[in-house]
Amino acid sequence: MQLRKAILASVLSAALALSAAACGTAENTQSVSSAAASEHVAETPTTSPEATATASPTAEPTVKSTASPAPESNEVSENAEITAEIEAMAPLLEAHILAQMNGMAFDANDPVYFWQTAAFAVDNCGMTFYSAETTGSALVLSRGVMEEIVSGLFESAANEDLPDIPDSLSGEISYDADSDTYARPISGGFSVDIQDCVKSGDVYTVTAALIRDENEAEPQAIFTAELVPNPREDNTVFIYSIRTVKQIS
């Protein structure tokens, strides 16, 4: 009987030992698993989402203008007195007007326009030169006088040599090489009235009316012309030169 109790006690003690060992193993296993999990979490940090950079607005490049500012003109147009020097240009203005009334266009480089205008100018002012002579029905002028007239007729021709006369104008004006003179058949019949004058810097813009005679109520035509200081240094009669002439009515 005593032996059976001893054996039973031994069995119970062994069972308790096994149970305790089993419990301890489970707890240790759970602890190790928890520790391992914690260690795994620590080794693998949670990746924060990358912040998307906000692009700065691209500033438009500053473009420096290379264009020069338009110069301000200090010249002011103003009404000007119609002086005796401006009135002296009337015969030359008439020459241009008559040429254009005959269907020609202002062109100082066109020999036909050049000499037709010069021929008309001789009609209007040739007799005012003391050296002018009449031969039969023609007025004869020296080269110097013709150069003086042309210097007033055309700004661009003031200091240029006189061109040759086109054959088509042989009946209008002619040149004699032996005497170095120019001859123009005498004619006439019109006059020019300078009605207005405006000054801007050294340019005078005049309005001129072509009139057949003093009793005419309405002018034949009205033109404007630009007058500038005569570039010819030894000019004696015409202080101004004609730059442009055009019809306005």
Side-chain angles (χ1 to χ4, degrees):
M1 184 69 175
Q2 290 293 333
L3 180 59
R4 293 180 60 187
K5 287 182 179 180
I7 294 170
L8 180 61
S10 298
V11 172
L12 289 175
S13 295
L16 289 172
L18 290 173
S19 176
C23 289
T25 303
E27 288 178 0
N28 290 339
T29 302
Q30 184 176 2
S31 299
V32 170
S33 298
S34 298
S38 298
E39 185 178 359
H40 179 72
V41 170
E43 289 178 354
T44 311
T46 302
T47 304
S48 301
E50 294 183 1
T52 303
T54 302
S56 301
T58 304
E60 294 185 2
T62 302
V63 179
K64 295 183 179 181
S65 174
T66 57
S68 301
E72 296 183 3
S73 175
N74 295 323
E75 297 179 355
V76 179
S77 297
E78 57 184 6
N79 291 330
E81 179 186 358
I82 301 175
T83 62
E85 289 79 9
I86 291 177
E87 285 283 7
M89 299 298 294
L92 306 187
L93 292 172
E94 180 182 339
H96 280 286
I97 291 172
L98 290 176
Q100 293 185 36
M101 292 287 285
N102 281 308
M104 306 181 76
F106 184 99
D107 186 355
N109 297 317
D110 177 6
V112 175
Y113 182 83
F114 183 99
W115 282 110
Q116 183 62 79
T117 307
F120 287 145
V122 171
D123 293 340
N124 303 329
C125 66
M127 292 294 294
T128 62
F129 293 88
Y130 70 91
S131 62
E133 297 179 353
T134 57
T135 301
S137 61
L139 183 64
V140 180
L141 303 175
S142 67
R143 174 181 290 273
V145 169
M146 186 59 69
E147 289 175 342
E148 176 74 11
I149 292 173
V150 168
S151 76
L153 275 174
F154 301 100
E155 175 192 13
S156 60
N159 293 311
E160 299 293 329
D161 292 335
L162 296 174
D164 294 336
I165 299 173
D167 292 339
S168 61
L169 294 179
S170 59
E172 296 290 322
I173 191 168
S174 60
Y175 173 67
D176 182 5
D178 293 336
S179 60
D180 197 20
T181 58
Y182 293 84
R184 161 69 174 169
I186 298 173
S187 62
F190 288 87
S191 64
V192 161
D193 178 31
I194 297 178
Q195 300 177 332
D196 188 33
C197 181
V198 175
K199 182 179 185 296
S200 178
D202 60 356
V203 179
Y204 291 83
T205 302
V206 300
T207 303
L210 180 66
I211 301 172
R212 186 179 296 276
D213 58 59
E214 294 180 355
N215 298 321
E216 193 173 47
E218 296 294 332
Q220 295 286 313
I222 298 178
F223 287 72
T224 61
E226 289 183 326
L227 309 180
V228 296
N230 194 327
R232 182 182 167 99
E233 295 180 357
D234 59 346
N235 71 83
T236 58
V237 177
F238 302 111
I239 305 302
Y240 301 102
S241 288
I242 296 172
R243 175 174 289 175
T244 61
V245 180
K246 63 181 179 179
Q247 185 173 3
I248 59 174
S249 68

